[in-house]
């Protein structure tokens, strides 16, 4: 029976990996099946955040998979060797109460291990790490800001989870979005239950509030938050906040809150560089047990250069398409998944169309591109032409060189490599190349 269970479980896992790739995580391999009887497959999961994730995203996938593999109606149950953990504080006692169902849970994806550190987020990461090791002692409050999708929530949750792991005795961590705080406050006012509200927020070891820009223009919530803040601060309890802009830039935020928010450490997360984006794509791929070729990683990192969440979305699309077609992840497939025309259409791009687009964009003449001038204003568009011709047409290096005043293949290759490199390091060049490519391939 044990062998049979292991075999069934293995097939269930493969089924989930193939058919629900967006939810698949590499740690699924560590899950053990506990039993299969009376139409119920029990899955043993020790880690609370894992169990939460499975419950939230995977029950349907596992149920379907189990039914498919066994040919019977099967339901799924998660059992834990650490059942008691459910009752341990991590804001859980609040979370489990009926009026708190909208409290956010920690994602097992959002750990320090899964966070890629780069120049854009080094300080914010270091500060969160320091705070999780010595809450209330180093930076208080810690205020992290940056535009959407750059990893604020990830870092905040990583700090909470690390703190829960590090602490010798179970601490009270209260983590939520500012919207939840505000709604909770309004509800307490309506119910005349401010006593319980205050007890809940003012007696924790760490208070973590995500997206505090939500306080903007909400005067009564600001007032309440101010007093919550002061109580915790005076008791040397750690406060971590995030927002999409710095405290000073939050519109209609009382001065006294701005000054409180500024009195600890304020750090900004910037857009990730090309190298960091590549590292993030690789990290996210690893978490799903996939290993896309380097050129695909590069392609994604180049194409999406602002929002990290979209990088992940791109990877999900590509992986999903590969699973659907049962084919390996290739550059071709990645292009197709991200809505670029597949190669046949690329083949139809002609060198003269490329020349038209480039001469128009850079405001140069064809005779300049074909001539001998080497000034940057001419050489650069010429090299962009050669790059696009190599990327979007099937012509050989020699043929491409022929269109530009009979230049030889090493010149074309040099131009290609030069622009390719610039696309990695220079946002302007990448933007130009991307928009010319889009214009040429999406006609
Ligand atoms: P924000 O709260 O700033 O809007 P999130 O924390 O929700 O952004 O991040 C969006 C997505 O990008 C998440 O899946 C997160 O894991 C991922 N992400 C952002 N920055 C990084 C990073 N440096 N390393 C790994 N993943 C990241
Ligand atoms: Mg967020």
């Amino acid at each position: 029976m044990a062998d049979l269970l292991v075999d069934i479980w293995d097939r269930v896992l493969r089924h989930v990996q193939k058919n629900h790739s967006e939810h698949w995580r590499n740690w699924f391999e560590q899950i053990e099946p506990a039993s299969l009887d009376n139409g119920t497959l029990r899955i043993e999961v020790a880690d609370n955040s894992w169990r939460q994730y499975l419950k939230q995203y995977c029950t349907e996938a596992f149920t379907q998979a189990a039914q498919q593999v066994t040919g019977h109606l099967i339901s799924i149950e998660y059992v834990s060797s650490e059942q008691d953990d459910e009752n341990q504080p991590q804001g859980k006692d609040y979370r489990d109460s009926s009026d708190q169902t909208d409290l956010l849970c920690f994602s097992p994806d959002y750990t320090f291990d899964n966070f890629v550190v780069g120049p854009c987020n080094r300080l914010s990461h270091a500060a969160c790490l320091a705070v999780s090791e010595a809450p209330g002692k180093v930076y208080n409050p810690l205020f992290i800001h940056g535009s959407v999708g750059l990893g604020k929530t990830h870092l905040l949750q990583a700090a909470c989870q690390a703190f829960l792991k590090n602490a010798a005795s179970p601490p009270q961590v209260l983590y939520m979005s500012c919207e939840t705080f505000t709604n909770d406050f309004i509800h307490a006012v309506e119910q005349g239950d401010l006593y319980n509200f205050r007890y809940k927020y003012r007696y924790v070891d760490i208070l973590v509030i995500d997206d505090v820009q939500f306080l903007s223009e909400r005067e009564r919530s600001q007032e309440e938050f101010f007093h919550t803040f002061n109580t915790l601060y005076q008791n040397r309890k750690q406060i971590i906040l995030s927002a999409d802009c710095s405290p000073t830039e939050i519109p209609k935020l009382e001065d006294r809150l701005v000054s409180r928010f500024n009195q600890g450490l304020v750090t900004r997360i910037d857009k990730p560089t090309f190298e960091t984006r590549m590292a993030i794509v690789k990290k996210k791929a690893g978490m799903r047990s996939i290993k896309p070729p380097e050129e695909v990683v590069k392609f994604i990192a180049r194409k999406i250069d602002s929002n990290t969440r979209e990088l992940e979305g791109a990877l999900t699309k590509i992986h999903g398409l590969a699973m659907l077609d049962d084919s390996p992840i290739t550059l071709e497939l990645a292009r197709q998944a991200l809505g670029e025309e597949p190669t046949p259409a690329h083949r139809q791009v002609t060198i003269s169309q490329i020349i038209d687009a480039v001469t128009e964009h850079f405001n140069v003449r064809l005779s300049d591109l074909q001539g001998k001038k080497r000034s940057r204003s001419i050489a650069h568009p010429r090299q962009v032409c050669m790059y696009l011709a190599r990327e979007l047409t099937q012509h050989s290096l020699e043929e491409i060189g022929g269109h530009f005043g009979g230049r030889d293949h090493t010149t074309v290759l040099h131009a290609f490599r030069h622009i390719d490199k610039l696309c990695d390091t220079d946002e302007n060049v990448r933007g130009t190349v991307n928009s010319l490519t889009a214009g040429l391939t999406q006609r």
Side-chain angles (χ1 to χ4, degrees):
M1 172 63 192
D3 281 353
L4 183 63
L5 182 58
V6 170
D7 178 53
I8 289 177
W9 179 243
D10 194 50
R11 284 159 58 202
V12 166
L13 280 183
R14 300 287 75 88
H15 188 282
V16 172
Q17 184 173 24
K18 186 162 180 351
N19 296 286
H20 299 272
S21 54
E22 71 283 15
H23 294 317
W24 173 268
R25 293 294 178 270
N26 51 5
W27 50 263
F28 286 9
E29 303 281 2
Q30 295 171 44
I31 305 173
E32 300 274 339
S35 63
L36 173 60
D37 48 39
N38 295 328
T40 304
L41 174 61
R42 286 180 195 80
I43 303 176
E44 187 153 339
V45 217
D47 188 299
N48 262 330
S49 64
W50 287 7
R51 190 165 52 224
Q52 206 65 45
Y53 179 91
L54 290 168
K55 265 191 196 165
Q56 196 169 343
Y57 299 111
C58 306
T59 302
E60 202 183 316
F62 277 106
T63 310
Q64 251 182 31
Q67 294 185 355
Q68 191 82 23
V69 167
T70 61
H72 295 290
L73 272 181
I74 301 273
S75 64
I76 298 289
E77 224 177 81
Y78 304 104
V79 293
S80 168
S81 47
E82 289 180 10
Q83 279 297 356
D84 288 343
D85 263 22
E86 283 270 326
N87 300 319
Q88 284 188 3
Q90 40 165 276
K92 267 278 186 196
D93 38 351
Y94 303 120
R95 215 175 287 165
D96 287 345
S97 70
S98 56
D99 60 338
Q100 288 304 320
T101 46
D102 56 349
L103 274 190
L104 303 175
C105 299
F106 299 129
S107 161
D109 286 354
Y110 293 174
T111 60
F112 285 127
D113 278 352
N114 289 338
F115 192 81
V116 174
V117 183
C120 56
N121 56 31
R122 196 175 303 284
L123 185 56
S124 303
H125 170 264
C128 280
L129 204 57
V131 158
S132 71
E133 280 162 9
K137 300 212 169 65
V138 271
Y139 312 114
N140 205 15
L142 171 60
F143 190 104
I144 295 179
H145 66 100
S147 56
V148 67
L150 295 186
K152 302 181 294 296
T153 297
H154 186 140
L155 272 183
L156 260 49
Q157 292 202 15
C160 291
Q161 300 194 68
F163 179 56
L164 285 162
K165 264 203 185 116
N166 293 340
S169 60
Q172 289 284 359
V173 177
L174 193 51
Y175 163 83
M176 70 183 64
S177 71
C178 189
E179 188 175 359
T180 303
F181 172 87
T182 309
N183 291 342
D184 206 11
F185 172 62
I186 294 168
H187 184 71
V189 172
E190 281 168 3
Q191 302 293 311
D193 192 19
L194 277 173
Y195 177 83
N196 273 326
F197 175 88
R198 288 180 179 149
Y199 182 82
K200 168 178 162 183
Y201 284 93
R202 297 184 189 183
Y203 291 89
V204 293
D205 299 310
I206 300 194
L207 178 67
V208 184
I209 306 279
D210 212 350
D211 292 320
V212 290
Q213 73 275 1
F214 198 79
L215 284 175
S216 170
E217 294 187 24
R218 293 180 167 80
E219 284 165 25
R220 288 201 62 192
S221 296
Q222 287 188 25
E223 161 105 27
E224 184 61 32
F225 195 76
F226 176 73
H227 294 297
T228 306
F229 185 102
N230 285 344
T231 308
L232 290 169
Y233 185 79
Q234 276 153 18
N235 292 325
R236 296 177 186 280
K237 303 299 185 188
Q238 180 68 49
I239 301 160
I240 313 180
L241 307 168
S242 85
D244 63 2
C245 56
S246 72
T248 332
E249 290 163 334
I250 299 178
K252 307 242 167 95
L253 183 69
E254 287 178 19
D255 287 347
R256 57 183 184 164
L257 271 178
V258 175
S259 91
R260 291 293 184 287
F261 291 175
N262 274 322
Q263 81 193 23
L265 178 68
V266 177
T267 69
R268 193 178 70 201
I269 305 189
D270 290 312
K271 283 201 274 181
T273 59
F274 177 73
E275 285 74 18
T276 307
R277 293 201 299 280
M278 281 194 56
I280 292 174
V281 173
K282 285 183 188 168
K283 174 66 82 179
K284 298 282 179 194
M287 286 161 64
R288 291 152 188 239
S289 316
I290 42 176
K291 200 168 182 309
E294 193 76 4
E295 57 178 3
V296 171
V297 174
K298 223 172 167 186
F299 169 71
I300 302 174
R302 248 191 214 170
K303 194 161 166 76
I304 295 159
D305 64 0
S306 52
N307 182 326
T308 307
R309 188 172 296 137
E310 286 173 15
L311 281 181
E312 202 176 357
L315 186 67
T316 304
K317 274 192 200 155
I318 294 168
H319 188 209
L321 187 63
M323 285 295 178
L324 199 72
D325 289 359
D326 221 354
S327 56
I329 295 179
T330 58
L331 187 57
E332 185 76 354
L333 181 128
R335 283 204 160 113
Q336 204 186 331
L338 299 194
E340 278 192 11
E341 292 292 317
T343 305
H346 281 160
R347 282 199 187 115
Q348 288 158 18
V349 175
T350 63
I351 293 193
S352 65
Q353 284 168 339
I354 293 174
I355 291 173
D356 285 351
V358 172
T359 48
E360 189 186 330
H361 180 87
F362 289 98
N363 198 18
V364 291
R365 288 175 312 209
L366 172 60
S367 57
D368 290 332
L369 297 183
Q370 292 176 329
K372 298 260 175 275
K373 281 191 202 154
R374 288 167 170 238
S375 60
R376 192 186 134 80
S377 62
I378 302 296
H380 180 66
R382 188 187 289 134
Q383 289 179 324
V384 169
C385 269
M386 293 180 185
Y387 173 87
L388 291 174
R390 174 133 201 252
E391 274 281 285
L392 304 178
T393 74
Q394 297 294 306
H395 291 294
S396 67
L397 296 172
E398 284 79 8
E399 285 167 341
I400 296 171
H403 280 81
F404 298 93
R407 287 173 159 83
D408 71 15
H409 73 280
T410 51
T411 308
V412 179
L413 194 58
H414 170 76
F416 177 81
R417 289 191 180 142
H418 178 64
I419 299 296
D420 191 51
K421 196 147 190 223
L422 280 181
C423 284
D424 292 350
T425 53
D426 186 325
E427 255 183 53
N428 287 334
V429 176
R430 184 169 55 244
T432 304
V433 167
N434 280 349
S435 82
L436 285 168
T437 305
L440 286 158
T441 54
Q442 290 164 13
R443 334 165 153 239

mmCIF file of all heavy atoms in Angstrom, residues 95 123 231 264 302:
data_model
loop_
_atom_site.group_PDB
_atom_site.id
_atom_site.type_symbol
_atom_site.label_atom_id
_atom_site.label_comp_id
_atom_site.label_asym_id
_atom_site.label_seq_id
_atom_site.Cartn_x
_atom_site.Cartn_y
_atom_site.Cartn_z
ATOM 1 N N ARG A 95 -6.547 36.588 12.743
ATOM 2 C CA ARG A 95 -6.938 36.194 11.413
ATOM 3 C C ARG A 95 -8.102 35.213 11.456
ATOM 4 O O ARG A 95 -8.953 35.191 10.622
ATOM 5 C CB ARG A 95 -5.737 35.482 10.776
ATOM 6 C CG ARG A 95 -5.620 35.737 9.334
ATOM 7 C CD ARG A 95 -4.374 35.114 8.847
ATOM 8 N NE ARG A 95 -3.205 35.842 9.279
ATOM 9 C CZ ARG A 95 -1.996 35.335 9.211
ATOM 10 N NH1 ARG A 95 -1.799 34.129 8.772
ATOM 11 N NH2 ARG A 95 -0.966 36.042 9.583
ATOM 12 N N LEU A 123 19.402 48.472 -0.061
ATOM 13 C CA LEU A 123 19.230 49.073 1.263
ATOM 14 C C LEU A 123 17.926 48.599 1.917
ATOM 15 O O LEU A 123 17.893 48.250 3.108
ATOM 16 C CB LEU A 123 19.246 50.605 1.147
ATOM 17 C CG LEU A 123 19.190 51.346 2.471
ATOM 18 C CD1 LEU A 123 20.324 50.926 3.390
ATOM 19 C CD2 LEU A 123 19.235 52.855 2.237
ATOM 20 N N THR A 231 1.798 54.685 20.554
ATOM 21 C CA THR A 231 1.810 53.677 21.626
ATOM 22 C C THR A 231 2.879 52.623 21.345
ATOM 23 O O THR A 231 3.695 52.287 22.213
ATOM 24 C CB THR A 231 0.428 52.971 21.709
ATOM 25 O OG1 THR A 231 -0.556 53.967 21.796
ATOM 26 C CG2 THR A 231 0.363 52.046 22.905
ATOM 27 N N GLY A 264 12.379 57.340 11.368
ATOM 28 C CA GLY A 264 13.232 56.140 11.389
ATOM 29 C C GLY A 264 14.067 56.092 10.128
ATOM 30 O O GLY A 264 14.729 57.068 9.770
ATOM 31 N N ARG A 302 14.636 41.819 -21.155
ATOM 32 C CA ARG A 302 14.735 42.966 -22.045
ATOM 33 C C ARG A 302 13.373 43.544 -22.356
ATOM 34 O O ARG A 302 13.181 44.749 -22.432
ATOM 35 C CB ARG A 302 15.348 42.505 -23.356
ATOM 36 C CG ARG A 302 16.695 43.064 -23.557
ATOM 37 C CD ARG A 302 17.091 42.786 -24.953
ATOM 38 N NE ARG A 302 18.509 42.569 -24.970
ATOM 39 C CZ ARG A 302 19.150 42.127 -26.005
ATOM 40 N NH1 ARG A 302 18.500 41.789 -27.095
ATOM 41 N NH2 ARG A 302 20.441 42.003 -25.968
#
